[in-house]
Amino acid sequence: MVLRFTRNGARLSRGWHVTNDDTTRRLDHTDDPDYADNLRRATLASSVGSALEYFDFALYGLFSALIFGDLFFSNLPPELAVVASLASFGVGFVARPLGGLFFGTLGDRLGRKWVLVVTIALMGGATTLIGALPTYDSIGAWAPVLLTVLRLLQGFGAGAEQAGATVLMAEYSPVRRRGFFSALPFIGIQLGTLLAALVFSLMSLLPDEVFFGWAWRLPFLSSFLLILLALFIRMRLRETPTFVELEKHEQVAERPVRDIFTTGFPSVVVGIGLRMAENGGSYMFQTLGLAFVAGNFIANPVDRGVATWGVTLGALIAMVVLPLSGHLSDRFGRRIVYRAGAVFLLLYSFPAWWVLSQGHPVGVIAVIAIGIGVAVNTMLGPQCAMLPELFGNRHRYLGVAMAREISAVLAGGLAGVLGAYLLAVSDGDWLLPAVYMATLALITTASTFLVPETKGRDLLRHDDAIRVSTDETHAAISTAVR
């Protein structure tokens, strides 16, 4: 079936017509009890999954930055043990694009719901097994090998988890408030981060022999309870309205991979650029920043338990900033709000890392909290709706997954290991990670000038926003010339 676009919306060759106004009226029926119930269920399903994913990742990030070097890489000097531990954290990002490609394809062919059920089970199961691993002192080199394998499985499942939650909420949300509603489930990210930071801070109060002996395993093992809760909620979830429309009119993509690497590739590239500062900045503050202030890189190291309170406070601030920035993107547009967050991080990078280098506990907590809570989440708020709006309906899941996960490798995955390496070879010079963070912010700032405004875009359309914008620009130029 061929899709032909009109000025007011999309018309199918077999007579099915959907205008932007029709779509808006249908998706804005929040007073419809059935629609409202499905919207609440989708929000809960996405929130629990996001909470579990980021509890897993934040927990692993904290442990890799602060204690996994001693547990799994104890044969190395302390500085190299931190690098190796953060490298194991980065390995999970390598698997994420593969998971995004595999599960994203299934999500566009089979539907959003069942892929989200599988990914949460795979990701959570790998996290639980980390808590059962023997350490280097018990089995030697096999310990880091097994840790790396489980981290790969965790990343493979996570590769489509967040993309699925993003697409799910964007396709369920009312059009006029899509930015706000799409951002709500990502409060689960903050809850997961907050829970991980609180757990680590409380466990840091334990004697070292207890903490390093067996207590560190408990948070990983307890994630099994979250898995059961998430599976229960997602099994009761209905398929999204936009995918139902694809099935109804027999338009489900047979080769979404081919589509995404041809017509959808420009949107993937821009999506990667948009994510560099948000994703990279987040993991630099949560992992590299903690390793920097609590390790041997500065003259006055900060206690690891104190440093993690910055992550805790940052997550609390983000619970307000995230839905607020999503709401602002509904009023003023996605691009301007996103650009404001990227520019803020650009200006923040150098003073932030200088303050971290001073090793004052209050300054460390404040810098990490503002970096995570304000800079990162001012970008994440509009991103929740913007990424799905960039892609057409037939390959949206795969497109969002590829943009998110390739950027996760280039930004988040490298943030810890490359930053730790730069600090190790420069004797802890704060200027190098500051330059690194500012570079990520520059890339994202530039990307906001390449993307069209997507606010209110009809998600039933099959074409990508960037492709349409380019075509319309060429048409306008041709008209002006004539």
Side-chain angles (χ1 to χ4, degrees):
M1 185 178 291
V2 179
L3 187 67
R4 299 195 306 272
F5 294 102
T6 66
R7 182 175 180 83
N8 293 324
R11 186 184 302 274
L12 298 178
S13 59
R14 292 185 186 175
W16 179 54
H17 180 67
V18 178
T19 66
N20 290 336
D21 291 338
D22 293 335
T23 306
T24 300
R25 283 193 295 269
R26 183 178 67 255
L27 295 180
D28 275 349
H29 280 330
T30 50
D31 55 343
D32 181 345
D34 187 56
Y35 174 82
D37 182 61
N38 289 331
L39 180 60
R40 284 193 297 269
R41 189 177 293 128
T43 304
L44 182 60
S46 301
S47 299
V48 172
S50 297
L52 175 57
E53 178 187 353
Y54 275 80
F55 175 73
D56 292 348
F57 269 70
L59 191 68
Y60 195 102
L62 291 170
F63 276 64
S64 63
L66 300 173
I67 74 164
F68 272 0
D70 294 326
L71 292 173
F72 293 95
F73 303 95
S74 56
N75 59 316
L76 300 175
E79 292 82 2
L80 292 181
V82 172
V83 174
S85 180
L86 289 174
S88 73
F89 179 70
V91 161
F93 290 91
V94 176
R96 290 181 70 144
L98 300 176
L101 180 63
F102 178 77
F103 289 116
T105 302
L106 294 181
D108 282 322
R109 295 187 63 184
L110 304 179
R112 323 309 193 199
K113 170 185 174 179
W114 292 108
V115 172
L116 286 172
V117 170
V118 174
T119 55
I120 200 74
L122 177 60
M123 183 181 64
T127 301
T128 302
L129 290 176
I130 289 174
L133 282 180
T135 63
Y136 188 91
D137 291 340
S138 300
I139 60 172
W142 279 107
V145 170
L146 293 175
L147 178 68
T148 302
V149 170
L150 290 179
R151 177 64 179 161
L152 285 169
L153 291 175
Q154 188 188 55
F156 191 75
E161 166 62 30
Q162 202 59 56
T166 302
V167 170
L168 182 78
M169 278 312 301
E171 293 183 344
Y172 260 113
S173 298
V175 175
R176 294 187 180 92
R177 303 190 67 195
R178 186 184 291 149
F180 174 75
F181 274 94
S182 295
L184 287 182
F186 288 79
I187 294 177
I189 292 176
Q190 314 311 323
L191 289 174
T193 303
L194 177 63
L195 181 59
L198 283 173
V199 166
F200 190 90
S201 296
L202 293 174
M203 293 184 66
S204 296
L205 302 176
L206 297 172
D208 282 351
E209 59 272 16
V210 176
F211 187 18
F212 286 85
W214 56 268
W216 69 270
R217 302 179 183 276
L218 296 180
F220 294 96
L221 295 173
S222 63
S223 65
F224 181 71
L225 299 177
L226 285 175
I227 299 171
L228 295 180
L229 176 61
L231 286 174
F232 173 75
I233 295 172
R234 290 187 174 183
M235 291 293 289
R236 301 176 64 243
L237 186 66
R238 292 185 184 180
E239 191 52 79
T240 67
T242 56
F243 189 82
V244 169
E245 292 289 355
L246 285 178
E247 289 186 313
K248 179 180 178 181
H249 299 279
E250 300 178 356
Q251 293 181 312
V252 176
E254 295 181 0
R255 299 180 181 88
V257 175
R258 182 194 62 184
D259 293 345
I260 206 64
F261 283 105
T262 53
T263 59
F265 191 69
S267 296
V268 172
V269 173
V270 173
I272 290 171
L274 290 171
R275 286 262 297 162
M276 295 299 282
E278 176 268 321
N279 190 254
S282 176
Y283 284 108
M284 286 189 75
F285 283 120
Q286 290 186 51
T287 58
L288 183 62
L290 294 184
F292 179 58
V293 301
N296 298 320
F297 298 112
I298 62 176
N300 302 304
V302 178
D303 179 79
R304 59 175 178 259
V306 172
T308 55
W309 281 106
V311 179
T312 304
L313 184 58
L316 289 172
I317 295 173
M319 290 182 185
V320 177
V321 173
L322 184 58
L324 176 61
S325 59
H327 168 69
L328 292 175
S329 76
D330 284 328
R331 292 197 60 189
F332 304 107
R334 317 286 188 226
R335 290 188 303 177
I336 189 65
V337 179
Y338 210 122
R339 190 177 301 151
V343 171
F344 179 84
L345 183 64
L346 174 63
L347 300 175
Y348 188 67
S349 298
F350 291 94
W353 282 93
W354 179 81
V355 172
L356 291 178
S357 71
Q358 303 306 300
H360 298 300
V362 174
V364 167
I365 292 172
V367 161
I368 294 176
I370 294 172
I372 295 173
V374 179
V376 169
N377 282 277
T378 300
M379 292 178 278
L380 182 59
Q383 181 195 112
C384 298
M386 192 175 193
L387 283 185
E389 288 169 339
L390 285 178
F391 296 95
N393 195 16
R394 286 162 59 88
H395 55 248
R396 178 171 297 125
Y397 198 134
L398 181 58
V400 173
M402 296 309 295
R404 287 187 59 87
E405 303 314 328
I406 292 175
S407 62
V409 175
L410 298 177
L414 287 177
V417 61
L418 180 58
Y421 174 76
L422 292 174
L423 289 172
V425 298
S426 65
D427 294 327
D429 188 352
W430 64 270
L431 192 59
L432 293 181
V435 170
Y436 182 23
M437 180 175 285
T439 302
L440 297 177
L442 274 173
I443 293 172
T444 293
T445 301
S447 298
T448 63
F449 289 95
L450 301 176
V451 66
E453 181 54 63
T454 61
K455 183 184 73 170
R457 191 167 193 267
D458 186 351
L459 295 186
L460 289 175
R461 296 178 68 163
H462 291 193
D463 57 332
D464 289 350
I466 290 180
R467 186 178 181 88
V468 170
S469 176
T470 303
D471 293 343
E472 291 174 350
T473 301
H474 288 167
I477 293 173
S478 299
T479 301
V481 170
R482 288 196 300 267

